[in-house]
Amino acid sequence: MTYSSTAAFASIAVAELDLDGPDGPVLSLGPAPGGPPLGAGDIFSLVRLRGRPAATVLGRAGAGEDPADVLMAAYRARKGRSDQRDLGRYEPAAVEGEPHAPPRTTVVIGTRERAGQLARALDSLLTQDHPDFRVVVVDNAPVTSATRDLVASRYAGRVDYVHEPRPGLALAHNRGLAAADGAVVAFTDDDVIADPHWLTALSTPFAADPGLGCVTGLILPARLTTPAQILLESHGGFAKGFEPRLYDPARPPAGEPLFPFTAGSFGSGANMAFRADALRAVGGFDPATGTGTPARGGDDLYAFVRILSAGHRLRYTPGALVWHHHRETWRDLENQAYGYGAGLTAYLTAILVRRPALLPALLAKLPRGLAHARAITAHRPEGDARPGPGGHGAQHYPWPRGLSRLERRGMLYGPLGYAKARRRISGDGGQA
């Protein structure tokens, strides 16, 4: 599949606008090198208020215009609208639990043959302001020694290396969970750059709320240089907004009647943390799910639902930010669309196989569940697109119907993929 309007896509600079600079707002490039410089053209910017992520804006600077002025005008225009949902209310006591010290945390990164990307992620993790953490790299079914050599030569004494011979992200995560020694275990991917405050913001809520089982955070694009990256972000990307949310199984959210089976709304695997004992108590991740298995995905969604169904609360906190390198090519985006659909139904299959007691609840919600599944894969009809990245720009990028069809095909395949993965693990002598 190719996209008919690729000529309309121009690289977009990624920036940060800090509203609290010593002499007024300060604009700087985002953390990832390689994108276009600040100047004339489109700029996608995170806005920080008191150091915390507060909003994203997209502005277009003309020749001779100050990009900071353009973005400030865009921010003021957004702030003046009646809809304030994405403007990031600052609630330190309720969201971050600031009177509490962050607990000891183990950060786990599962990786496979991407040493260059991994080094970039590790560099960002080792500059975290968290007072007590450890980083564990899980080398998943490697075919070379590149990852082991990188950790040994560049990060000796600062990063621990663990080998998981069987392929699959859930297996890698379970291996990392077994190696974790913190009260909290955080997971991220090798294609992110973590904000320096990420781990503190992600782990501190556990100290403030003993009933909390999981925390997820904000994911923004590290670069917007290819049509595939721009299209993905223009239709939501991985971001879940700037408003903190608490999901409590004892008080299901009124606006989500399918709760807790709408796991995709809770967060993503590139930015999640669990109370380690709670995750172990539910059996960790289902090894037949996740990237690297025939199921193609769903390991994070499975864990979210298992934690909630065990009675623990889940919090989304936008103060915990990572910058994600979106996939660059159309082929990558096609694979991602198919894998997302497959992972969605694979995780639902995994939940019912491992927790059959949840079947009556799922069946009761199935009619609306089918409508929901169709909605999240249909996106918007071609020609009825949201504007620019995050929905706040000036250009319109319709979502190709072909990607929606791929997601629906993936959904049909998901249960079969999960069954194949279980058979593979059983054949390897493991427990599926």
Side-chain angles (χ1 to χ4, degrees):
M1 181 196 75
T2 58
Y3 189 62
S4 60
S5 302
T6 54
F9 289 85
S11 294
I12 298 173
V14 175
E16 297 189 54
L17 180 65
D18 187 348
L19 300 183
D20 301 299
D23 299 312
V26 176
L27 180 65
S28 60
L29 276 172
L38 294 174
D42 287 334
I43 304 170
F44 174 83
S45 181
L46 168 69
V47 179
R48 289 186 186 268
L49 178 63
R50 302 174 206 157
R52 308 299 179 94
T56 55
V57 292
L58 182 71
R60 174 171 295 173
E65 287 188 295
D66 185 341
D69 291 342
V70 171
L71 293 170
M72 275 301 302
Y75 176 69
R76 291 191 187 102
R78 288 201 58 203
K79 193 175 181 181
R81 295 173 188 168
S82 58
D83 184 356
Q84 297 289 304
R85 287 176 299 174
D86 288 337
L87 291 186
R89 296 177 308 186
Y90 185 74
E91 301 178 16
V95 180
E96 305 299 347
E98 286 190 333
H100 301 267
R104 176 165 172 78
T105 301
T106 301
V107 182
V108 174
I109 303 184
T111 186
R112 187 172 192 266
E113 301 301 337
R114 300 206 296 190
Q117 292 189 84
L118 176 63
R120 183 178 58 202
L122 291 176
D123 288 343
S124 71
L125 290 176
L126 293 175
T127 62
Q128 294 294 300
D129 63 6
H130 192 289
D132 187 14
F133 72 98
R134 170 179 170 231
V135 179
V136 174
V137 168
V138 182
D139 199 1
N140 188 211
V143 295
T144 73
S145 64
T147 298
R148 180 191 292 271
D149 295 344
L150 172 73
V151 173
S153 62
R154 185 166 167 178
Y155 301 101
R158 297 185 294 164
V159 173
D160 293 327
Y161 174 92
V162 177
H163 175 245
E164 170 50 59
R166 298 170 297 170
L169 186 57
L171 284 163
H173 283 169
N174 283 339
R175 181 71 67 176
L177 177 62
D181 62 353
V184 171
V185 56
F187 297 90
T188 190
D189 292 342
D190 58 13
D191 55 4
V192 309
I193 297 174
D195 181 80
H197 311 297
W198 167 70
L199 193 58
T200 296
L202 193 69
S203 60
T204 300
F206 291 100
D209 181 357
L212 199 60
C214 178
V215 177
T216 63
L218 176 65
I219 302 174
L220 292 179
R223 288 193 295 182
L224 292 170
T225 56
T226 72
Q229 291 173 332
I230 294 169
L231 181 68
L232 177 62
E233 190 61 29
S234 74
H235 289 268
F238 297 96
K240 306 300 180 186
F242 291 85
E243 184 174 354
R245 294 187 295 276
L246 180 67
Y247 297 94
D248 188 342
R251 300 176 183 83
E256 296 191 23
L258 302 170
F259 177 86
F261 299 107
T262 51
S265 66
F266 303 148
S268 299
N271 192 354
M272 62 184 182
F274 298 85
R275 195 177 299 277
D277 288 346
L279 185 57
R280 293 186 181 110
V282 299
F285 298 87
D286 187 314
T289 60
T291 304
T293 72
R296 304 289 293 268
D299 54 312
D300 51 350
L301 308 183
Y302 172 87
F304 297 155
V305 174
R306 286 293 286 117
I307 284 290
L308 286 163
S309 63
H312 302 284
R313 289 185 284 274
L314 183 152
R315 180 178 289 281
Y316 169 73
T317 178
L321 165 68
V322 299
W323 302 86
H324 180 261
H325 285 79
H326 295 349
R327 304 188 187 191
E328 296 184 356
T329 70
W330 286 107
R331 176 61 65 185
D332 291 337
L333 196 56
E334 290 174 330
N335 291 337
Q336 185 173 14
Y338 185 84
Y340 179 82
L344 178 67
T345 51
Y347 109 78
L348 287 171
T349 304
I351 287 290
L352 296 181
V353 167
R354 293 186 172 274
R355 291 284 293 168
L358 293 176
L359 179 60
L362 179 60
L363 290 176
K365 300 173 180 180
L366 188 59
R368 296 193 68 178
L370 293 174
H372 171 77
R374 180 175 178 80
I376 63 175
T377 58
H379 294 274
R380 280 154 289 279
E382 197 150 356
D384 181 25
R386 293 169 60 191
H392 310 301
Q395 297 200 29
H396 295 263
Y397 303 131
W399 185 260
R401 292 191 182 96
L403 291 181
S404 296
R405 287 194 294 269
L406 280 171
E407 289 182 41
R408 290 193 286 269
R409 284 172 53 191
M411 290 174 65
L412 293 174
Y413 165 80
L416 175 61
Y418 178 72
K420 288 181 177 179
R422 283 180 62 87
R423 286 197 298 270
R424 173 188 290 180
I425 293 170
S426 297
D428 290 341
Q431 291 187 352

